[in-house]
Amino acid sequence: MNKVKLLVDHHLSDVKTIADIASFMDIHPETLRRVFLRKEKIHLGDYIMRRKVDAMKEHLLVTDDPCYDVCYSVGLREDSGAKIFRKFSGVTMQEFREKYKPEFERLRGTPADAERVRGLLAEAFSYKE
């Protein structure tokens, strides 16, 4: 399953469906879906969306790009990207940026606060259940 995860990570903006990954690997999509769920305990579609949301969160923290550019950077339209982001994080992209970016910027340049940065990132990259 590491190969699947690497494919998702390296082709994040190109991966739209499980069928996209299955075609890369020359395997039937349903087989890939079942095997991934059995081994990773998460649906492959959810894994892909979480990786896209993680990439969007990182983009929101390190740039001032508009939210629509953040969505496009992971291969999503603005409207679907915004819905997916909110579904998986519990907040809008703007709310996320307003909550975490100022503290991230403040802590980023101070190595003494590395533990606080890790804590902030752990909170920022957690998922709403």
Side-chain angles (χ1 to χ4, degrees):
M1 291 299 94
N2 286 338
K3 185 176 180 182
V4 174
K5 291 178 178 182
L6 285 172
L7 266 169
V8 170
D9 288 345
H10 286 98
H11 300 282
L12 195 56
S13 64
D14 299 324
V15 173
K16 307 271 189 268
T17 65
I18 294 169
D20 294 338
I21 299 168
S23 68
F24 275 121
M25 299 183 69
D26 197 29
I27 188 171
H28 192 275
E30 192 55 40
T31 302
L32 177 61
R33 185 185 335 245
R34 281 193 318 266
V35 170
F36 192 89
L37 177 60
R38 186 173 54 243
K39 292 194 183 228
E40 298 297 326
K41 309 295 188 242
I42 184 174
H43 290 278
L44 181 53
D46 286 345
Y47 176 79
I48 293 167
M49 288 303 122
R50 284 185 176 198
R51 293 300 301 132
K52 287 183 183 264
V53 169
D54 283 347
M56 293 166 73
K57 286 178 176 181
E58 182 179 342
H59 198 136
L60 288 166
L61 287 176
V62 299
T63 73
D64 291 322
D65 292 348
C67 293
Y68 62 85
D69 278 347
V70 173
C71 294
Y72 295 146
S73 73
V74 295
L76 297 171
R77 292 188 333 259
E78 181 179 8
D79 57 340
S80 59
K83 286 178 187 174
I84 289 167
F85 189 92
R86 184 170 178 104
K87 176 184 175 185
F88 281 90
S89 68
V91 295
T92 67
M93 288 186 279
Q94 191 60 38
E95 289 169 340
F96 178 88
R97 184 177 265 162
E98 289 169 359
K99 181 175 181 179
Y100 294 107
K101 187 167 180 146
E103 186 70 4
F104 177 75
E105 288 292 323
R106 191 179 71 71
L107 294 175
R108 186 166 68 163
T110 56
D113 289 329
E115 187 61 37
R116 289 181 59 205
V117 170
R118 279 194 289 279
L120 176 70
L121 292 176
E123 178 186 334
F125 282 78
S126 65
Y127 286 94
K128 158 182 111 66
E129 296 299 328

